[in-house]
Every structure is written in C-alpha cells, then in structure tokens.
C-alpha cells in the first residue's frame, strides 16, 4: 500500500531543498480561488517521453524487487495520477503482478481547469485540461498460488479483499475529500493522504484482518497510522531523514484522530 514518487525529480534532495526554501523547482503553489493559500503540488504536465519511459522502468525494477516480499495473493495498492498511471501499470505488469482493477478516489483537486496562460480573456470558455476530480489507485495482486481463492485464504490469508460488512463488499469508487487541516497540522508532508480514505483501503487490503501492511514510500507515515488505527501490523520505509523523523511523531497522533473508517462508504451506502 503506497503513494510513491512518480517523477525523476520531485523527491530528490535538490527538489526537496527548493520546496523547503519556497524557490524554484517542480513544486508549484496552485492559484488560490478563494483567498486561502494552497499546498504546493509537483507539476507532471512538463514530463517528456523519456521521463515517462523512466517511470515505467522504475516501476518494473521496483515491483520486481517487491515481488518476493509479497505472499501469493497479496494485494498491491498504489496511488497514481491520470497522467502517469498507464506507465506505472505497465511496469507492475512487466514484473509479473496481476491487474485486479483500479480504485477511484473521488476528490476535488486544484489540478487542471485553467484557461490558456496569458490568454484568459481571449479564450474565456476554454480550459486547457479537465479539472481533475479523482485520483486513481492501481489495484494489483501477486497471483494466487492455490487453485482457488478459498484455498489461498486458508494457506496465506490473502487473495481477496475484506468486505465492508456482510451486506456490502469493498467498492472501487470511494468518495473522499482533500486532506483536512487537522491532519496537515500533525503531519506537514506535501503529499499527505487523508486518514478516512487510507483507513478504508488499508482495511480492505487484508481480507482476514491478518498479515502485515508494507508502505515502502511511507512519507509522514499516514498509511502506517491507518494500519495502527485498525489494529493491523505494518512496516514503513522512508528515505528522507526529515520525513522519517516527522513520521515518528505523526503516526501515533494520526492513528488516534477521530476520522472513523469509511464515512465516505457510509455516504455511498445511503
Ligand atoms: C508521495 S510521498 C508519500 C507521502 C505519504 N502518502 C504521506 O501521506 O505522508 C513519497 C515518499 O517517498 C519517499 N521516497 C522517495 N524515494 C524513496 C526511496 N528510494 N526509498 C524510500 N522512500 C523514498 C519520499 O521522501 C516521500 O516522502
């Protein structure tokens, strides 16, 4: 379960130094439409064909390294964005992981929707790109080893997804919201994901509620906090010493935050 870096640059030391100093680099502050300051976002529209091929190669290498750490039937859920997700998906497929669908996190973002630069008044009715209102999460699985999912569940406790309830299966459309201020105050990471969404997908990832959740790009530890909240065991890896330090203080606080599992799911069920 992870939210990886997609580009060559955005989490390199040089780009992080630029982000932290607020000057230059791939991180941009989106325009404010209501007077409230926006959190910085990396720009993916400037990626070249070579950058995109690099993403595919990176994810082939990464998923090949990940494969032996997964038990047969273990699910892999990866945050993406619509511009790079096909390249990530190709990499995962090349490493032997099996595509099981895509989760749509419905969320209003500040990406896209703008009129052509320096020609706003000339082209008042035009947006250069669609305003992005969803985030794809790629859903993959290490192929099951047993003949049936039931046998795989008995042997490895994996192969399926945990249902929301007896009546409601886990669904691939999850109504979400931008990460709340209360969470940002605890974990000041530019890619912080909200607990309500993470708790929903982390819960689904272990069909019997047993096993270990791995986040190899843990950032502020939000996935690990969601696992902690659910009583799941988890392991995280983070390269940046500042984010690692942040995660150590943020995980226990995010884990106890009152954002119950699946408020989004309840809305969907109503
Ligand atoms: C998109 S962020 C994840 C943020 C996370 N979703 C959160 O809510 O805090 C990706 C993270 O991966 C880390 N990272 C980049 N390359 C890495 C590597 N090779 N090994 C471990 N972590 C890495 C970055 O420092 C960054 O914190």
């Amino acid at each position: 379960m992870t939210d990886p870096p997609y580009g060559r640059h955005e989490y390199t030391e040089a780009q992080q130094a630029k982000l932290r100093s607020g000057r230059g680099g791939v991180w941009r502050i989106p325009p404010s439409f209501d007077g409230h300051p926006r959190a910085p976002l990396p720009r993916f529209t400037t990626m070249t064909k070579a950058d995109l091929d690099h993403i595919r190669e990176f994810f082939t290498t990464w998923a090949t390294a990940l494969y032996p750490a997964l038990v047969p039937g273990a699910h892999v859920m990866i945050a993406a964005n619509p511009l790079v997700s096909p390249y990530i998906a190709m990499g995962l497929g090349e490493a032997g992981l099996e595509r099981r669908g895509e989760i749509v996190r419905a969320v209003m973002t500040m990406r896209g929707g703008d009129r052509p630069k320096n020609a706003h008044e000339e082209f008042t009715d035009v947006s250069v790109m669609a305003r992005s209102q969803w985030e794809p999460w790629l859903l993959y699985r290490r192929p099951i080893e047993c003949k049936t999912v039931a046998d795989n569940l008995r042997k490895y406790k994996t192969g399926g997804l945990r249902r929301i309830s007896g009546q409601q299966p886990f669904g691939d459309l999850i109504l979400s919201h931008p990460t709340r201020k209360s969470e940002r105050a605890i974990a000041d990471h530019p890619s912080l994901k909200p607990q309500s969404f993470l708790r929903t997908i982390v819960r689904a990832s272990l069909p019997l509620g047993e096993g270990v959740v791995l986040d190899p790009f843990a950032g502020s530890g939000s996935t690990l906090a969601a696992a902690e909240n659910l009583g799941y065991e988890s392991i995280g890896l983070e390269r940046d010493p500042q984010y690692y330090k942040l995660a150590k203080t943020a995980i226990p606080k995010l884990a106890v935050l009152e954002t119950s599992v699946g408020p989004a799911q309840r809305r969907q069920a109503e």
Side-chain angles (χ1 to χ4, degrees), residues 35-51:
H36 291 289
R38 301 280 151 212
L41 288 172
R43 285 185 310 170
F44 294 115
T45 45
T46 56
M47 286 190 152
T48 61
K49 174 78 171 62
D51 291 332

Side-chain angles (χ1 to χ4, degrees), residues 6-16 26-27 47 51:
Y6 309 120
R8 285 167 187 258
H9 300 309
E10 79 267 27
Y11 280 101
T12 57
E13 269 182 41
Q15 290 297 330
Q16 286 296 299
V26 298
W27 293 87
M47 286 190 152
D51 291 332

Side-chain angles (χ1 to χ4, degrees), residues 3-5 11 189 191-193 216-217 219-220 222 238-240 243:
D3 171 22
Y11 280 101
H189 189 292
S191 305
L192 183 66
K193 301 287 179 194
F217 301 107
S220 62
S222 55
E238 172 54 48
R239 184 175 65 175
D240 187 312
Y243 293 145

Side-chain angles (χ1 to χ4, degrees), residues 152-226:
N152 207 89
L153 282 164
R154 286 182 200 110
K155 187 163 176 190
Y156 293 108
K157 305 183 189 305
T158 53
L161 295 162
R162 194 169 181 184
R163 297 176 67 96
I164 292 165
S165 68
Q167 292 71 39
Q168 200 181 352
F170 173 71
D172 61 8
L173 171 64
I174 300 176
L175 303 181
S176 185
H177 52 76
T179 307
R180 297 194 196 291
K181 264 194 197 151
S182 52
E183 295 179 50
R184 291 200 176 280
I186 295 171
D188 184 19
H189 189 292
S191 305
L192 183 66
K193 301 287 179 194
Q195 282 297 297
S196 63
F197 173 76
L198 289 175
R199 289 175 192 175
T200 302
I201 60 170
V202 169
R203 185 180 180 282
S205 69
L206 296 181
L208 304 182
E210 293 172 54
V212 182
V213 176
L214 169 67
D215 185 347
F217 301 107
S220 62
S222 55
T223 306
L224 312 177

